[in-house]
Amino acid sequence: MKTLIKNGKVVLKDKVDFLDILLEGRKISKIGKNIEEKVDKIIDAKDKLVIPGGVDVHTHMSLDLGKFIACDDFASGTYAASFGATTTICDHIGDLGKGASLHSLIDHYHDIADGKAYIDYSFHGAMYEENESLLSEIEDLKNEGIPSIKIYTTYGGKLNDDQILRVLKTAKKTGSIVCVHCENDGLIYELRNEAIRDNKLSPKYHALTRPNQSEAEAINRLIYLSETAGYPKLYIVHTSTREGLDEIKRARERGAKNLYCETCTQYLTYDESKYMDNPNDEAVKYICAPPLRKKDDIEALWDGIRNGDVDVVATDHCPFIYESEKKPYADNFIKAPGGIPGVEERIEVVLTLGLQRKISFVRLMEVLSLNPSKIFGFYPNKGSIEEGTDADLAILTKNGYTIKQENRHSRCDYTSYEGFNTDFKVDTVISKGKIILDEKGYYAKAGMGEFIKRILSKE
């Protein structure tokens, strides 16, 4: 099968140009001006934007919290992602309880993902406790194509500093990348207990009990632990505050190496007024951790994208049903499940907001596709439009629309971006050379997505 995309405004790694793209089988075979070739299909992309398929390296499909399970699985979640021009995800996996091996977690996720995904996917490993046996599995996972491991500094499966240091030292030896959820557990514990004691349980106290200092302190601590371990690859997930980003910037200035910063769409879009100014039954929709922050934090993160301080924009997609799982706890943030939907909206929202701030297409697609692909070992097959790479592409029209629940594709019964007016709309999505979405319909099937074994670069 040969497909020729003609006349599009194409976002390459280093420039934007009006080019044709020839697809042969699952690969991009040629990029250039006025390509003449006998093909099976021609797509006219005149007046449209052609971008690499998005790479979202922070999702939580089927995440089991015990009482609640994220409502999108690897079928519905990847289906929704594909409508938003994302063609690859990497999922942060949940726990199976004390004593579970790293491989047992991965095997469980293979069981729940195999044959279901509409787009390509991978998993991050996860450690909810630490011992010699688990540490020894980090290298095994890397050799099996899973070179990243997630740890937490809060929640029930958090690791203490000595445990974190041993994980970092092990990752230094194996070349793995350690992803960390950074919040100060003791600080949150104390403030939440105060809120419970004083019966301050409305959603705004979710934000007030997880202040900016909680994130910044934990990021600072992780960076110094990383320095002690010899600077293994350290990836800070969902950075949400100016203070947290400042810790990363200062560390880099003093010579910290292998340090990566992720933020998420919600932290670039909405502030804490979603909690403070809305009725509780609306505010509860936005309970996630970290919480939404202040307008100043939003602009600091956008400056970080502009200046190269923020490496990745992901989603932390972790949706729960509003009517049955969020709304009943509108007056008690302690009991409400934490997590919001967003896997479909990321690219349209970030391109809209980023271009309004005069950030280039090239830079925006770096944080949405190229950088996450490079950092986590999907590149060169994913993350860019280059000859020889997988033909994962999206074509967007410059005619925007209003995001509403009625035009979403997740199983979630609300969208965090209700009423957001985009400047772009996904028109066509191509995965591994196959058109899976165009103006006439949707053609992907469950199981078309493949598990991707990843290899980290040695840079």
Side-chain angles (χ1 to χ4, degrees):
M1 179 74 177
K2 289 187 178 182
T3 301
L4 182 61
I5 303 171
K6 293 190 66 69
N7 308 314
K9 184 178 181 179
V10 181
V11 182
L12 301 175
K13 286 198 303 182
D14 57 350
K15 65 179 180 178
V16 178
D17 202 354
F18 291 93
L19 297 165
D20 298 344
I21 305 172
L22 179 64
L23 316 180
E24 293 191 57
R26 67 181 287 158
K27 297 291 183 179
I28 296 172
S29 63
K30 187 184 296 185
I31 301 170
K33 302 274 191 181
N34 303 313
I35 295 175
E36 298 294 334
E37 186 94 15
K38 185 176 180 179
V39 296
D40 301 286
K41 185 175 180 64
I42 294 176
I43 299 174
D44 186 1
K46 184 179 180 181
D47 299 324
K48 297 179 182 179
L49 183 71
V50 184
I51 64 172
V55 180
D56 187 351
V57 291
H58 194 157
T59 64
H60 291 284
M61 305 304 177
S62 295
L63 182 68
D64 189 344
L65 300 181
K67 184 174 181 179
F68 306 102
I69 299 176
C71 62
D72 274 329
D73 60 13
F74 281 87
S76 65
T78 57
Y79 177 74
S82 67
F83 276 89
T86 288
T87 52
T88 306
I89 67 164
C90 198
D91 200 75
H92 285 286
I93 67 176
D95 194 8
L96 286 177
K98 191 170 180 61
S101 68
L102 302 190
H103 281 88
S104 66
L105 299 182
I106 294 297
D107 289 345
H108 172 66
Y109 268 75
H110 276 303
D111 288 343
I112 64 177
D114 286 357
K116 296 181 176 65
Y118 286 76
I119 57 174
D120 290 347
Y121 64 98
S122 188
F123 311 128
H124 302 286
M127 288 185 69
Y128 295 93
E129 54 185 319
E130 178 270 337
N131 55 51
E132 285 299 324
S133 177
L134 295 175
L135 291 173
S136 70
E137 290 187 82
I138 293 176
E139 184 167 18
D140 295 337
L141 285 186
K142 179 175 181 283
N143 294 336
E144 294 163 17
I146 301 175
S148 48
I149 194 83
K150 172 78 169 286
I151 61 175
Y152 294 80
T153 64
T154 189
Y155 299 134
K158 74 178 181 73
L159 300 187
N160 296 323
D161 288 354
D162 59 326
Q163 297 172 309
I164 291 171
L165 183 58
R166 287 190 286 272
V167 172
L168 292 168
K169 286 181 175 179
T170 301
K172 176 65 176 178
K173 293 176 184 177
T174 64
S176 303
I177 183 167
V178 180
C179 307
V180 190
H181 176 127
C182 287
E183 290 184 287
N184 183 298
D185 186 69
L187 187 156
I188 294 168
Y189 179 82
E190 176 64 15
L191 295 182
R192 281 164 66 100
N193 279 346
E194 288 178 2
I196 294 168
R197 182 193 65 205
D198 297 336
N199 198 32
K200 294 178 176 179
L201 299 177
S202 63
K204 74 176 184 179
Y205 293 102
H206 169 66
L208 294 173
T209 58
R210 303 180 99 96
N212 289 27
Q213 295 90 336
S214 169
E215 177 177 272
E217 185 282 329
I219 289 174
N220 174 277
R221 179 160 37 99
L222 259 294
I223 293 169
Y224 276 113
L225 288 171
S226 173
E227 181 178 3
T228 304
Y231 289 125
K233 293 181 177 180
L234 174 65
Y235 182 93
I236 308 299
V237 304
H238 52 47
T239 306
S240 64
T241 62
R242 175 184 289 276
E243 294 90 338
L245 180 58
D246 283 347
E247 294 291 348
I248 291 169
K249 290 162 62 176
R250 282 193 290 268
R252 287 169 171 165
E253 288 170 1
R254 68 173 184 259
K257 302 177 180 66
N258 300 322
L259 176 59
Y260 307 100
C261 175
E262 170 196 284
T263 191
C264 298
T265 320
Q266 58 270 28
Y267 305 119
L268 297 168
T269 310
Y270 295 126
D271 62 41
E272 63 182 10
S273 63
K274 287 292 184 184
Y275 308 121
M276 309 301 178
D277 299 342
N278 278 318
N280 290 354
D281 60 355
E282 176 67 17
V284 74
K285 293 178 179 178
Y286 294 91
I287 287 183
C288 57
L292 303 178
R293 303 296 188 177
K294 295 177 173 60
K295 289 183 172 65
D296 179 67
D297 296 301
I298 293 175
E299 295 311 317
L301 292 169
W302 277 113
D303 286 343
I305 291 173
R306 179 182 292 105
N307 299 331
D309 299 316
V310 173
D311 301 292
V312 172
V313 177
T315 62
D316 199 3
H317 178 79
C318 188
F320 298 93
I321 299 298
Y322 170 65
E323 284 294 336
S324 61
E325 296 177 324
K326 287 271 196 179
K327 188 176 180 180
Y329 303 103
D331 297 321
N332 191 334
F333 78 89
I334 299 288
K335 294 184 177 180
I340 62 174
V343 76
E344 184 172 354
E345 293 87 353
R346 178 180 67 126
I347 288 177
E348 292 173 344
V349 169
V350 172
L351 287 180
T352 297
L353 294 175
L355 289 167
Q356 288 173 2
R357 289 168 169 81
K358 310 301 182 185
I359 301 174
S360 71
F361 279 119
V362 169
R363 178 63 188 136
L364 293 172
M365 290 315 303
E366 280 180 352
V367 297
L368 290 167
S369 195
L370 181 61
N371 286 352
S373 182
K374 282 187 169 183
I375 291 167
F376 286 104
F378 290 106
Y379 186 81
N381 286 321
K382 309 291 185 183
S384 66
I385 297 175
E386 299 178 64
E387 292 179 359
T389 66
D390 280 356
D392 290 357
L393 304 160
I395 302 172
L396 281 64
T397 67
K398 298 174 186 177
N399 301 317
Y401 72 110
T402 301
I403 293 175
K404 300 178 181 178
Q405 176 57 22
E406 63 197 50
N407 54 40
R408 300 298 88 191
H409 299 87
S410 162
R411 283 183 184 156
C412 195
D413 58 349
Y414 76 99
T415 170
S416 309
Y417 302 90
E418 184 74 36
F420 185 97
N421 295 314
T422 76
D423 292 336
F424 297 90
K425 188 177 191 304
V426 175
D427 175 270
T428 301
V429 178
I430 299 170
S431 175
K432 295 170 293 192
K434 294 182 180 179
I435 298 170
I436 64 172
L437 171 69
D438 63 18
E439 70 279 3
K440 295 179 181 178
Y442 187 83
Y443 313 106
K445 303 291 184 184
M448 282 180 59
E450 301 172 306
F451 176 77
I452 303 298
K453 294 183 176 181
R454 299 175 286 122
I455 302 174
L456 298 187
S457 71
K458 296 182 180 180
E459 295 178 1

